[in-house]
């Protein structure tokens, strides 16, 4: 750690926020180690950056002077829990020359991997009352050997190797998403590998280098389709819904903290919007004579309902509002009613956008840092 003003404590979990008698200033943070040690921490300002769900859980657990937890003055702490909708309900069938399809990553001027997406202009989105939704060309699920692709079968086998099942290789969630519908049948995968052996030999060194050695790692695996057909992977905003909530469970963890009950609820509007977005993309492809979408079922809404689950992105449970009765934190990420307790997290977002919460988490964290710096300067000047 090179920043001389920062003291970093490892292995501590903050289990409670203690406040003064009036319940409007933080007195201390209680923290515990798994080894049974307990300490108190006192600062001038406190910023919760424990991830959306754990921030919310900590605020809820700090309920000795605040019914339902600190920040629950409006009854909205833990409400409007949002993730995203994602899945595949269609295959894009291009009628253009297959070699012209850009199915993989591009690189920008800084060499960062970037990805082309189907999306909508904000004006079109508003006019059509669509949630913010994008789609990108995917790869068939690795675990389904009927893709007959040796590279994907090699990836399936690699993701099942003990080394890659650990955190060294890929997270469990990423592994599961890539493998998808795991039909087992190693023999069928091995047949795919034998058929494409020459292609695999040239592919592995370049992909292996890009994925494990290069400074900028290839984020994911996409493969060329000679048939010019690609699964279209959608990713969509979830509309804010007060019935979608997290709350404290009775069960406790190893440190005695109550765990969270999660009740993530999607709505008809979320589902219908995903289906409508696909109809617009299909129309666009046909109008421009580039191809069309082939749907995976006749009942698309039911299919989207079965795919709605998320769990990757956590948004909305300490929502931001100008007025205290409409949210948990104010426009400076400060818990309403406190001047020393802040939240730096996607839990303050009032909408979920189509994806990639982290960029906005960082933007809001920088904004909070500026605000605290200005407040400090104002206070020093007035002394
Ligand atoms: C599989 C997967 C894929 C994802 N892909 C993307 C993506 O492509 N793009 C994107 O933008 N986002 C993605 N995300 C979301 C992204 O990971 C989160 O938005 C981001 O990590 C949130 O950062 P954070 O610092 O707020 O919280 P976290 O990363 O959750 O960090 C919080 C830290 O606080 C610690 N902590 C929690 N509670 C306490 C406590 N009480 N006391 C002390 N410490 C505590 C935790 O141990 C953790 O280290 C993905 C998430 C997953 C799971």
């Amino acid at each position: 750690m090179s920043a001389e003003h920062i003291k970093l404590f490892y292995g501590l979990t903050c289990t409670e926020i203690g406040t003064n008698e009036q319940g409007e200033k933080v007195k201390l943070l209680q923290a515990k180690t798994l080894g049974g040690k307990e300490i108190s921490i006192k600062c001038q300002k406190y910023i919760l950056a424990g991830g959306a769900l754990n921030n919310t859980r900590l605020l809820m657990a700090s309920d000795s002077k605040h019914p339902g937890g600190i920040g629950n003055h409006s009854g909205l702490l833990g409400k409007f829990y949002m993730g995203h909708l994602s899945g595949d309900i269609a295959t894009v069938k291009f009628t253009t020359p297959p070699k012209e399809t850009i199915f993989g990553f591009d690189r920008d001027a800084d060499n960062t991997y970037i990805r082309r997406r189907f999306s909508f202009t904000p004006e079109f989105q508003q006019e059509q009352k669509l949630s913010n939704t994008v789609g990108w060309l995917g790869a068939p699920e690795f675990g389904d050997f009927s893709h007959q692709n040796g590279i994907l079968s090699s990836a399936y086998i690699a993701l099942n190797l003990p080394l890659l099942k650990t955190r060294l290789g890929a997270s469990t969630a990423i592994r599961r998403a890539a493998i998808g519908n795991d039909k087992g049948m190693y023999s069928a995968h091995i047949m795919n590998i034998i058929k494409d052996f020459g292609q695999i030999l040239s592919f592995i060194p370049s992909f292996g280098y890009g994925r494990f050695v290069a400074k900028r790692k290839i984020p994911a695996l996409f493969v060329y389709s000679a048939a010019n057909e690609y699964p279209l992977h959608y990713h969509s905003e979830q509309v804010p819904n007060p019935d979608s909530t997290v709350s404290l469970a009775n069960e406790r963890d190893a440190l005695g903290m109550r765990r969270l009950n999660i009740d993530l609820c999607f709505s008809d509007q979320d589902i219908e919007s995903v289906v409508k977005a696909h109809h617009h993309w299909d129309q666009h492809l046909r109008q421009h004579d580039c191809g069309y979408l082939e749907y995976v079922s006749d009942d698309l809404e039911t299919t989207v309902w079965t795919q709605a689950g998320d769990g990757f992105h956590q948004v909305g449970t300490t929502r931001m509002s100008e007025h205290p009765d409409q949210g948990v934190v104010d426009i400076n990420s400060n818990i309403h009613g406190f001047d020393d307790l802040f939240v730096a997290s996607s839990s303050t977002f009032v909408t979920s956008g189509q994806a990639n919460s982290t960029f906005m988490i960082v933007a809001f964290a920088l904004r909070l840092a500026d605000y605290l710096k200005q407040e400090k300067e104002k206070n020093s000047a007035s002394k």
Side-chain angles (χ1 to χ4, degrees):
M1 173 66 65
S2 57
E4 58 183 273
H5 298 302
I6 293 179
K7 259 193 208 162
L8 187 62
F9 299 95
Y10 290 97
L12 275 177
T13 299
C14 180
T15 51
E16 194 173 347
I17 304 163
T19 64
N20 63 1
E21 272 310 309
Q22 299 74 27
E24 31 88 276
K25 267 198 181 300
V26 178
K27 204 163 71 181
L28 51 83
L29 301 181
Q30 289 293 358
K32 290 183 184 171
T33 68
L34 276 172
K37 289 204 177 109
E38 212 167 315
I39 64 161
S40 306
I41 300 164
K42 289 189 182 191
C43 312
Q44 287 172 8
K45 305 278 179 195
Y46 300 81
I47 303 169
L48 306 184
L53 294 185
N54 276 315
N55 289 337
T56 310
R57 181 177 169 218
L58 177 60
L59 288 166
M60 285 178 164
S62 306
D63 59 355
S64 60
K65 294 198 180 64
H66 301 79
I70 294 177
N72 192 42
H73 45 273
S74 55
L76 294 178
L77 180 64
K79 299 252 165 71
F80 293 100
Y81 177 42
M82 288 169 275
H84 289 108
L85 293 101
S86 69
D88 300 64
I89 56 167
T91 298
V92 193
K93 301 215 163 187
F94 289 109
T95 47
T96 44
K99 295 267 181 207
E100 286 179 11
T101 305
I102 302 171
F103 63 92
F105 288 102
D106 284 331
R107 307 289 284 263
D108 72 3
D110 298 324
N111 240 359
T112 303
Y113 286 96
I114 50 173
R115 191 108 178 94
R116 284 166 194 262
R117 297 172 172 205
F118 291 91
S119 62
F120 301 103
T121 61
E123 296 75 25
F124 186 83
Q125 197 187 305
Q126 289 203 350
E127 187 190 294
Q128 298 293 325
K129 299 196 175 1
L130 289 168
S131 313
N132 194 354
T133 308
V134 301
W136 61 81
L137 303 186
E141 291 173 347
F142 300 174
D144 183 355
F145 52 81
S146 66
H147 50 58
Q148 296 191 355
N149 185 302
I151 294 174
L152 298 180
S153 284
S154 309
Y156 167 75
I157 289 176
L159 284 172
N160 277 306
L161 291 175
L163 177 68
L164 285 168
K165 276 189 171 174
T166 69
R167 297 179 67 187
L168 279 179
S171 77
T172 307
I174 296 282
R175 272 187 64 251
R176 282 201 191 127
I179 288 174
N181 181 15
D182 189 345
K183 295 191 172 167
M185 289 283 288
Y186 272 80
S187 54
H189 282 290
I190 288 167
M191 288 309 290
N192 288 344
I193 292 171
I194 293 171
K195 181 176 67 63
D196 287 342
F197 199 62
Q199 200 192 346
I200 296 168
L201 277 187
S202 59
F203 173 81
I204 286 179
S206 66
F207 183 78
Y209 178 82
R211 179 74 183 170
F212 300 108
V213 183
K215 193 167 163 228
R216 282 197 196 278
K217 310 276 185 288
I218 299 177
L221 170 63
F222 296 103
V223 289
Y224 172 70
S225 158
N228 217 4
E229 298 174 4
Y230 296 86
L232 182 64
H233 188 74
Y234 65 83
H235 214 281
S236 173
E237 176 175 16
Q238 178 181 358
V239 174
N241 176 0
D243 296 333
S244 187
T245 60
V246 301
S247 56
L248 284 185
N250 289 328
E251 194 194 337
R252 290 177 187 267
D253 67 12
L255 294 172
M257 267 189 100
R258 286 170 69 186
R259 292 188 188 279
L260 271 191
N261 279 325
I262 289 180
D263 188 10
L264 177 64
C265 294
F266 294 94
S267 64
D268 287 340
Q269 190 185 349
D270 296 323
I271 307 299
E272 285 160 16
S273 176
V274 169
V275 175
K276 236 167 102 178
H278 282 75
H279 292 331
H280 287 300
W281 289 327
D282 178 50
Q283 236 173 13
H284 186 81
L285 286 164
R286 288 175 195 268
Q287 259 168 16
H288 292 83
D289 223 6
C290 317
Y292 57 95
L293 295 190
E294 189 174 274
Y295 293 109
V296 299
S297 79
D298 293 332
D299 182 359
L300 293 177
E301 270 149 29
T302 302
T303 312
V304 178
W305 269 115
T306 59
Q307 294 175 350
D310 201 72
F312 283 13
H313 304 147
Q314 328 294 341
V315 179
T317 47
T318 66
R319 71 187 342 235
M320 185 177 278
S321 68
E322 217 165 330
H323 299 289
D325 55 355
Q326 287 167 4
V328 175
V329 302
D330 70 12
I331 56 168
N332 296 312
S333 308
N334 198 172
I335 303 262
H336 284 293
F338 283 75
D339 64 2
D340 56 358
L341 182 57
F342 299 81
V343 180
S345 165
S346 47
S347 59
T348 66
F349 300 174
V350 290
T351 59
S352 60
Q354 69 74 22
N356 299 349
S357 331
T358 313
F359 181 80
M360 290 311 292
I361 295 175
V362 173
F364 272 88
L366 292 173
R367 185 169 165 269
L368 173 56
D370 279 345
Y371 171 78
L372 291 171
K373 188 166 167 249
Q374 280 164 19
E375 287 296 293
K376 194 167 190 290
E377 283 163 3
K378 255 196 256 164
N379 285 344
S380 321
S382 64
K383 273 180 194 162

